[in-house]
Amino acid sequence: MSNSSRMRSIFRRKTSRALDKLDDPREALDESYDQQVRMLQQVRQGLAEVATAKKRIELQGQEMGLRYQRLANQARDAMEQGREDLARAALERRALLEGQVVALRDQFSALQQQTARLQDNERRLAERVAAFRIEKETIKATYTASEAQVKANEAVAGIGSQMNDVGSSLARARDRVAQMQARAAATDDLLTSGALQDLTAAPDADLERQLSEVTTKADVERQLQAMKATGAPDRSQPNPPREGPDAWLSIGGAQSGA
């Protein structure tokens, strides 16, 4: 495989991984779950704000109720002391305060209804988020298991981009081995035939080798002729081979003596 082909293969693998990441349903499910959690947090924050406003109105209404009762007591005390003018002023203030209390009570009632609706919405949304989380984790686990099974099946079947790269690598390795074996056999033949010269050998080494081969052949022929003539091995050597553990020391003695 050329460098350009290898680069294209790497680019395809990276592009495929990027697309798989974009199409991964697990990330889409997590994003949807996060959005629902944020919505639930917003509902709870709104519920807390409404509850705070309702509590503030409740405290204000309690304070106005105490003042309303106090004005009634002041008006009665003023009448007992013969101060009709003071009693009239207390009752007028009490009447004005009564209108304010009625408006505040209506606002408090509206906040109670709004709180009840928000609480109901918060409960239903929390149940939906919890159910979605369970389903999300189930789908993610199923997808992960299926993905692992697909990879395992592709590995066993020898398919897929990675296995294709492995197959290409094996094919290239086999081609290189075959080429190297053929080259080794060819150079052996060339060296044997003398077509290639050993540059590290001494001068005239090839001539000496050929002369040695001729001498060896002539010596073999001489021994064969002697054996044919006498029916026994040639004993004419000045130093026949010895016997025993050191017999190997006498091998070739005749040639060295010559």
Side-chain angles (χ1 to χ4, degrees):
M1 181 183 293
S2 63
N3 290 333
S4 59
S5 299
R6 192 174 296 109
M7 292 298 295
R8 284 196 297 270
S9 178
I10 294 174
F11 178 76
R12 283 197 300 269
R13 287 201 301 270
K14 291 185 176 180
T15 304
S16 178
R17 284 197 295 267
L19 292 176
D20 289 341
K21 187 175 181 181
L22 291 176
D23 296 336
D24 194 340
R26 293 170 295 189
E27 295 188 2
L29 289 171
D30 288 336
E31 179 62 26
S32 297
Y33 177 74
D34 292 340
Q35 291 178 356
Q36 294 187 33
V37 170
R38 287 193 292 269
M39 290 173 58
L40 180 59
Q41 291 174 348
Q42 291 175 357
V43 171
R44 288 174 174 172
Q45 183 178 357
L47 181 60
E49 292 175 355
V50 172
T52 301
K54 189 183 72 170
K55 187 63 177 179
R56 186 166 54 248
I57 291 176
E58 182 180 2
L59 294 175
Q60 187 177 357
Q62 291 175 356
E63 181 181 355
M64 294 173 70
L66 293 175
R67 184 186 174 194
Y68 183 80
Q69 184 63 36
R70 186 169 60 250
L71 287 172
N73 295 334
Q74 289 174 351
R76 187 169 50 253
D77 293 341
M79 286 300 295
E80 291 177 354
Q81 296 175 9
R83 295 293 305 271
E84 183 178 349
D85 56 335
L86 293 178
R88 182 179 290 106
L91 292 175
E92 289 176 352
R93 292 181 183 180
R94 186 171 182 267
L96 180 61
L97 183 61
E98 183 177 351
Q100 295 176 352
V101 170
V102 171
L104 193 64
R105 186 176 63 244
D106 293 341
Q107 187 177 2
F108 181 79
S109 178
L111 287 177
Q112 278 186 320
Q113 295 176 1
Q114 186 177 0
T115 300
R117 289 194 298 268
L118 285 175
Q119 287 177 340
D120 185 59
N121 291 336
E122 188 273 340
R123 177 184 56 80
R124 287 186 296 178
L125 184 56
E127 292 176 353
R128 185 191 307 170
V129 171
F132 183 83
R133 182 181 63 82
I134 295 175
E135 185 176 4
K136 171 180 73 74
E137 294 301 327
T138 302
I139 294 176
K140 288 176 60 177
T142 304
Y143 183 86
T144 301
S146 301
E147 184 181 37
Q149 184 177 359
V150 168
K151 291 181 179 179
N153 292 341
E154 288 181 350
V156 172
I159 59 178
S161 59
Q162 294 181 351
M163 296 307 298
N164 290 335
D165 293 339
V166 172
S168 300
S169 299
L170 286 175
R172 291 196 304 272
R174 293 190 184 111
D175 291 341
R176 293 295 300 274
V177 170
Q179 292 175 4
M180 195 59 64
Q181 288 177 339
R183 184 175 180 181
T187 52
D188 284 343
D189 293 340
L190 291 174
L191 285 173
T192 302
S193 64
L196 287 181
Q197 183 180 1
D198 186 3
L199 298 179
T200 62
D204 302 327
D206 56 338
L207 182 60
E208 293 178 0
R209 177 178 56 80
Q210 295 179 18
L211 290 175
S212 176
E213 291 177 357
V214 172
T215 302
T216 300
K217 291 180 180 179
D219 186 59
V220 170
E221 291 296 330
R222 181 183 58 78
Q223 293 184 36
L224 287 175
Q225 293 299 327
M227 291 175 66
K228 290 178 181 180
T230 62
D234 185 10
R235 302 293 184 179
S236 62
Q237 298 181 16
N239 295 316
R242 294 181 297 178
E243 296 181 358
D246 297 333
W248 65 274
L249 295 173
S250 62
I251 295 176
Q255 287 81 350
S256 62

